[in-house]
């Protein structure tokens, strides 16, 4: 088994932690446990795992809760702090699920979540153009506007309803990279950069938070680059990426070359804030170094996909 | 310097992260940065540091925010998840402050917060007798009752006002102990078990969260025990523990033996939910092993206290 042990960065969809309509914490913890079961198979196969999870639904909810009670005694937190809160929240659910599954499988590997800051550029154009959907879906623009207030931007999200959108700057560096690498070197499973990481910018007297939500797939690709991972495994709600999404001629992609995938991007096949950042992250990582592999699939197909038998494989 | 390098578990008061009346996130981050400056002196002296922080004001606020908007789309989170959220929130502020201070001091040591679960006994009598104050202070019982609702328990807190109180079970084990030890072995500064850790109980199919807030000083003592630390350093708002608190004959304690301190506890000198758990944690750790030291002081006096020149020293 030794020779097949890989360092894998797993990007886990925020929506893969929450089934449609099942929004309670109990429901989300149950889904996290199920996802954990799939991930533990990867750990038992001996791979080194870094897990980057999304937080779209959760951080949106935290932000709404914060703003629902904004008084001098209990002021609302800004978005960067809300991202950090979602790292604690989802990290807890995921590591508990993984811990329980590892123990059930009689594995003595450790797992924990590391609060992670990610450096972005304060001049990133994303700050002028909010595009990342967060929080609940609303039936129409009016309902969304009523729920999130006049100051927030709202957009229609991939045919599924209206949502709040927030700035989503590109990740440039991961502040806790060395800490994470030390845990990985010790054989631990590390959950990092939840929700893409807490966005921070470099100021003269140090790092300072900035309001935004980084795309977790782009952060996962950056993480994979910085730690020289072998594979970027992007897990989402579908078994494979499709072209002609929701058309009669919708077609799943299995083995795809970089050139073919780039053409699909140019053709506008993938929705921004949804499949597009996943495809971009996969493209980015595969082009970095000979031998890098990127896969986009569902948690259920992850093991098969590793053997090249399922999912969208970018080569 | 080699021979004086110690493994120190630092317990950091939730109130030491927040000045009276300054509740905004920006204010709290500024205090965290100031506290970080004191802690970095300990790191620069070569000590291995595990930092356990409180979350009383913060977790109470999160809980209030959650309950302020409790709808099917955005359900309120239970208290164990709120504790996890506070670990992300406060962990972010603290590690950013420490990171900035380490870089300013040209140190290349890494620091990060690890989401931490702490095992408690579901039959702990604390679940029938809520005693841990969380959230804002209210002027009287009626104001507190109005703010937190009829289902919550409220109590008067050490002459400072009325607050919500929640169950505070004793910590029995730290789930992520091995992960934390690996980080420590690599030389990293680790922020752990924020707010005393997320309380979990062992069930047939694994660990499950339970609603409560563990006392962070007791958890810090448990952590110090489990990793065989040399010292438990409890940092709070006062430079030393006093007896006859707020009386004309109020007297600070400097060098105190275990027996003397136990007598002060029996005499009811220390307020439950405030100084009492700190004193109990210190007593617990010092009695474990010959040579264990425990100090209670302020962040400002920490370095002097290590040299035995300030603070309450339990020997």
């Amino acid at each position: 088994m030794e020779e097949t042990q890989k360092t894998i960065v797993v990007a886990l969809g925020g929506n893969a932690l929450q089934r449609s309509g099942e929004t309670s914490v109990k429901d989300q913890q149950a889904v996290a446990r199920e996802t954990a079961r799939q991930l533990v198979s990867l750990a038992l196969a001996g791979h080194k795992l870094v897990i980057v999870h999304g937080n779209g639904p959760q951080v949106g909810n935290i932000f709404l809760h914060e703003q629902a009670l904004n008084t001098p005694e209990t002021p609302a937190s800004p978005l960067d702090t809300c991202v950090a809160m979602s790292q604690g929240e989802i990290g807890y659910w995921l590591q508990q699920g993984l811990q329980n599954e590892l123990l059930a499988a009689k594995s003595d590997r450790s797992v924990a979540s590391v609060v992670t800051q990610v450096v972005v550029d304060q001049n990133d154009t994303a700050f002028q153009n909010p595009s990342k959907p967060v929080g609940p879906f609303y039936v129409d623009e009016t309902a969304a506007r009523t729920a999130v207030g006049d100051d927030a931007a709202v957009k229609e999200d991939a045919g599924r309803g209206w949502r709040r959108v927030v700035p989503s700057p590109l990740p440039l560096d991961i502040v806790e990279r060395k800490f994470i690498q030390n845990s990985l070197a010790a054989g631990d499973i590390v959950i990092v950069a939840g929700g893409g990481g807490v966005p921070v910018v470099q100021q003269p007297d140090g790092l300072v938070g900035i309001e935004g939500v980084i795309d977790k797939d782009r952060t996962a690709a950056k993480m994979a680059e910085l730690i020289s991972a072998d594979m970027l495994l992007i897990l989402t709600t579908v078994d494979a990426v499709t072209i002609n999404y929701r058309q009669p001629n919708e077609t799943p992609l299995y083995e795809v070359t970089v050139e073919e995938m780039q053409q699909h991007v140019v053709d506008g096949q993938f929705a921004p804030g949804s499949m597009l950042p996943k495809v971009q992250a996969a493209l980015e990582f595969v082009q970095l170094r000979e031998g890098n592999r990127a896969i986009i699939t569902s948690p259920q197909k992850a093991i098969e996909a590793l053997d090249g038998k399922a999912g969208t494989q970018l080569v």
Side-chain angles (χ1 to χ4, degrees), chain A:
Chain A
M1 196 58 105
E2 281 298 325
E3 75 281 11
T4 61
Q5 286 179 11
K6 305 285 186 196
T7 297
I8 306 178
V9 174
V10 182
L12 204 58
N15 291 314
L17 293 165
Q18 185 176 321
R19 284 197 214 88
S20 172
E22 299 185 354
T23 54
S24 81
V25 166
K26 216 178 151 187
D27 289 337
Q28 294 191 66
Q29 284 183 298
V31 178
R33 175 87 190 244
E34 232 179 86
T35 302
R37 207 164 293 142
Q38 314 294 338
L39 293 176
V40 160
S41 324
L42 300 176
L44 296 178
H47 302 298
K48 283 184 184 284
L49 293 185
V50 180
I51 300 165
V52 179
H53 61 82
N55 73 348
Q58 296 82 8
V59 77
N61 284 357
I62 291 172
F63 203 41
L64 282 171
H65 281 124
E66 287 290 315
Q67 300 197 313
L69 176 72
N70 194 358
T71 66
E73 294 79 29
T74 51
S77 294
L79 193 49
D80 56 314
T81 288
C82 292
V83 172
M85 288 162 74
S86 78
Q87 292 187 352
E89 174 191 47
I90 304 169
Y92 160 50
W93 300 339
L94 265 180
Q95 80 191 49
Q96 186 176 78
L98 282 163
Q99 188 73 61
N100 286 338
E101 291 299 326
L102 285 166
L103 281 176
K106 310 224 181 301
S107 165
D108 66 347
R109 284 180 77 177
S110 293
V111 55
S113 310
V114 175
V115 175
T116 312
Q117 304 171 85
V118 171
V119 180
V120 301
D121 179 355
Q122 61 187 320
N123 298 316
D124 194 308
T125 54
F127 290 108
Q128 271 69 58
N129 177 31
S131 67
K132 168 90 185 158
V134 298
F137 292 88
Y138 302 99
V139 287
D140 56 27
E141 183 169 3
T142 312
R145 176 68 54 215
T146 307
V148 305
D150 281 337
D151 294 341
V154 295
K155 263 187 195 164
E156 204 281 329
D157 181 11
R160 298 174 296 180
W162 285 74
R163 296 175 87 183
R164 178 199 293 258
V165 285
V166 296
S168 188
L170 281 178
L172 302 180
D173 197 10
I174 292 169
V175 179
E176 290 77 14
R177 181 184 54 75
K178 226 181 75 183
F179 188 101
I180 293 162
Q181 277 183 301
N182 287 339
S183 296
L184 210 56
D188 294 338
I189 300 170
V190 210
I191 302 167
V192 304
V198 182
V200 295
V201 294
Q202 190 69 55
Q203 297 280 348
D205 61 342
L207 300 167
V208 179
I210 188 165
E211 295 202 77
V213 177
I214 306 169
D215 186 275
K216 65 103 186 28
D217 298 305
R218 304 303 291 259
T219 297
K222 177 56 72 178
M223 187 80 234
E225 172 193 339
L226 291 175
I227 66 170
S228 303
D230 304 293
M231 188 185 299
L232 176 62
L233 176 60
I234 299 178
L235 301 181
T236 181
T237 41
V238 293
D239 293 344
V241 180
T242 63
I243 51 171
N244 308 317
Y245 181 63
R246 293 196 167 181
Q247 309 292 319
N249 59 341
E250 180 167 356
T251 311
L253 301 175
Y254 296 109
E255 286 235 334
V256 200
T257 65
V258 166
E259 293 70 28
E260 287 165 347
M261 197 59 118
Q262 282 171 330
Q263 190 55 52
H264 293 314
V265 171
V266 171
D267 295 345
Q269 287 284 358
F270 311 120
S274 178
M275 195 51 85
L276 183 61
K278 295 181 209 310
V279 168
Q280 285 171 326
L283 278 169
E284 195 178 303
F285 178 65
V286 167
Q287 289 176 90
L288 272 178
R289 199 177 58 171
E290 188 75 33
N292 277 4
R293 279 178 70 193
I295 298 175
I296 303 176
T297 190
S298 64
Q300 292 74 25
K301 297 282 182 184
I303 284 282
E304 277 180 72
L306 246 67
D307 292 336
K309 293 177 193 149
T312 299
Q313 311 256 346
L314 198 63
V315 289

